[in-house]
Amino acid sequence: MIIDSTCPSCGAGVGASFYELPAIPTNSCLLINDRMAARDFPVAPLRLSCCPGCGFIFNAAWEASRTVYSEAYEETQGFSPTFNAFHERLARDLIHRHDLHGKRVIEIGCGKGEFLALLCRLGDNEGVGYDPSFVPSRLDAASAGRARFVREFFDERTGPVSCDFVCCKMTLEHIPDVGRFVGMVRRALEGQEDTSVFFQVPNAKRVLQDGAFWDIYYEHCSYFTAQSLSNLFARSGFAVDRVWTDYDDQYLMIEARPASTPTPVSASADAVAETRQWIEEFQRSVGSASNAWRHHLRDMAVAGRRTVLWGSGSKAVAFLTTLGVDGEVESVVDINPFRHGRYLPVTGHEIVSPDELSTTSPDLVVIMNPVYRDEIREMLRIRGCEPEIRCV
């Protein structure tokens, strides 16, 4: 096998990629104020590769200089009642199982701070969140409670930390050198064997089995299965306590503790073979799924029927740019008011409020995440809309 790159998780040589896109937006959550600027947004190639040694999947063409995380990065899902209910359930579960009452909590990649604020408020904990995209005006003092925020990356410069719990949600998939990063977190907790860590990432098994090409985008340079995630933490000096999925199997989660003594780790050949099987399923299905969506959207447009997408985040950007559709979709709806009047990268679709559908009712609404189906259906009903509804 010709070695094409090195696995960022275990260091093994990795061969050819299994999924390639020649030019996709380098950022999908940045707020863009001008349609022309959106149309001219930078693009870069994607080449997904799977390590034959540990089963870790990564974008071998990723370049750090192309992604931006700042106040203009608008990733929050906190305007959705469905998501907020999940967030609170998860926070209460972590507080209960780890006895997080009056403790010190650190969140790596805290975004706009909603989850850390929940952990602090519900458990009367003290928290510190790290994220360059945190916006102070978005979280008032009453909501933040005893949480404070550092608008920087958590990295080697952060140094050792003293805490009872480390949380890192939907961040590790944005990090290329995952072996180095998790190892750095372990070193920051040296001598704190009682500290628990909790990480949450997208579940690559679901992406592969569902042929979910809309869940593959440039910022996500790292993709994990349960086995590759568990092995990464074990190799990095953690004792893994639990690995599970939630949110309709979309999220993969792990809990671990710093191990007092390192243990040898080797990936299961059966687990890697299973991942390869999922990849083959993805390769077989992604082409037909893409073509089916292209034909359906174009048929709707030819028939003079209006189509809108509901959800303007990364899924929508990946969906539209991978399909290469444009006028077939009239606009993109989002409940996040900070996105209204902005534009999607490359396609330039305007992001509008759900209220605009009251006067221009669509014929088809494509929901970018089926977990929000009931919530969206009710919002459409309230606005007097009765479109065809399809989920990706």
Side-chain angles (χ1 to χ4, degrees), residues 7-267:
C7 176
S9 182
C10 73
V14 178
S17 56
F18 67 86
Y19 181 61
E20 298 188 6
L21 295 171
I24 61 175
T26 54
N27 292 267
S28 53
C29 287
L30 290 179
L31 297 177
I32 307 172
N33 298 321
D34 177 78
R35 190 189 298 272
M36 187 68 71
R39 289 279 195 177
D40 293 337
F41 201 83
V43 296
L46 174 138
R47 291 191 293 117
L48 287 190
S49 297
C50 178
C51 175
C54 70
F56 174 64
I57 296 169
F58 64 102
N59 178 10
W62 189 86
E63 295 182 24
S65 61
R66 295 183 180 274
T67 54
V68 176
Y69 298 101
S70 66
E71 283 192 9
Y73 192 83
E74 185 59 39
E75 84 301 333
T76 184
Q77 296 166 268
F79 290 95
S80 163
T82 301
F83 185 78
N84 288 339
F86 162 73
H87 243 191
E88 180 164 340
R89 174 171 61 82
L90 177 61
R92 290 186 182 279
D93 180 57
L94 293 173
I95 289 169
H96 172 72
R97 288 189 300 103
H98 296 280
D99 191 24
L100 299 180
H101 298 279
K103 302 291 180 64
R104 179 175 169 82
V105 178
I106 286 177
E107 183 172 10
I108 301 170
C110 65
K112 300 303 181 284
E114 300 103 333
F115 193 70
L116 181 61
L118 267 179
L119 290 175
C120 290
R121 179 169 55 83
L122 296 176
D124 192 26
N125 297 301
E126 175 186 351
V128 180
Y130 294 84
D131 201 309
S133 70
F134 176 75
V135 181
S137 61
R138 295 279 288 275
L139 198 66
D140 59 48
S143 299
R146 295 169 62 191
R148 67 180 181 88
F149 300 91
V150 181
R151 297 167 69 186
E152 299 175 358
F153 289 112
F154 186 99
D155 56 24
E156 284 84 355
R157 296 169 298 178
T158 307
V161 294
S162 176
C163 60
D164 301 291
F165 188 76
V166 174
C167 174
C168 182
K169 291 174 59 274
M170 307 307 279
T171 296
L172 190 59
E173 68 275 14
H174 294 255
I175 295 170
D177 300 323
V178 293
R180 179 198 61 78
F181 183 82
V182 177
M184 177 267 296
V185 174
R186 173 63 183 85
R187 290 189 295 276
L189 298 175
E190 191 62 43
Q192 301 179 69
E193 282 75 18
D194 292 333
T195 296
S196 295
V197 300
F198 166 79
F199 275 62
Q200 175 185 292
V201 296
N203 180 14
K205 175 183 177 181
R206 184 198 63 82
V207 173
L208 295 172
Q209 289 190 321
D210 290 356
F213 61 87
W214 52 88
D215 273 321
I216 297 172
Y217 28 92
Y218 199 81
E219 295 105 307
H220 284 192
C221 50
S222 299
Y223 299 79
F224 297 91
T225 64
Q227 184 71 36
S228 65
L229 185 64
S230 179
N231 285 343
L232 168 62
F233 274 77
R235 274 195 307 273
S236 302
F238 286 96
V240 176
D241 294 324
R242 185 185 182 205
V243 180
W244 75 106
T245 63
D246 204 332
Y247 216 52
D248 198 25
D249 277 343
Q250 294 183 32
Y251 297 157
L252 175 64
M253 295 178 276
I254 186 170
E255 289 177 339
R257 294 165 289 105
S260 55
T261 57
T263 56
V265 179
S266 60

Side-chain angles (χ1 to χ4, degrees), residues 302-335:
V302 169
R305 304 185 69 197
R306 300 178 57 250
T307 297
V308 301
L309 263 58
W310 195 298
S312 68
S314 300
K315 294 176 189 292
V317 174
F319 182 79
L320 292 170
T321 55
T322 302
L323 293 181
V325 297
D326 192 342
E328 295 89 340
V329 173
E330 184 169 295
S331 61
V332 179
V333 179
D334 205 293
I335 60 175

Side-chain angles (χ1 to χ4, degrees), residues 366-384:
V366 179
I367 297 176
M368 295 314 303
N369 191 333
V371 79
Y372 301 114
R373 181 191 293 107
D374 292 343
E375 176 182 307
I376 293 170
R377 193 187 302 275
E378 177 62 14
M379 294 181 73
L380 287 167
R381 186 194 65 79
I382 291 173
R383 288 160 177 80

